[in-house]
Amino acid sequence: MSIALYAMFISLLIPEMRRERKVVMIAGTAMLINALGTELLGLASGWSIILATLAASALFAGKGEKA
């Protein structure tokens, strides 16, 4: 079941990455922060993913198109 969750997330992410470069930057930054969180800081993988997602989103929150 855990593999299905990752597959669902990837299936939602890939089409969006093809449309917008900003999403590629956010995903790449989150991957880097996640790797650093687990390897250097020794965080549990779940907490590292949450931290990486929030940090990458916050970094790119104000950049881009305005409505």
Side-chain angles (χ1 to χ4, degrees):
M1 190 62 158
S2 64
I3 294 172
L5 183 62
Y6 291 119
M8 182 182 70
F9 177 72
I10 290 170
S11 69
L12 293 171
L13 186 63
I14 295 296
E16 201 59 38
M17 289 174 74
R18 289 182 177 166
R19 274 187 239 133
E20 290 195 42
R21 182 179 173 163
K22 182 178 178 181
V23 176
V24 175
M25 298 289 289
I26 293 170
T29 303
M31 288 187 320
L32 178 65
I33 294 171
N34 182 33
L36 293 174
T38 55
E39 296 299 321
L40 296 179
L41 300 177
L43 293 173
S45 63
W47 285 111
S48 183
I49 290 170
I50 292 170
L51 174 71
T53 303
L54 292 174
S57 297
L59 284 173
F60 291 94
K63 301 174 184 174
E65 298 178 17
K66 296 194 179 204

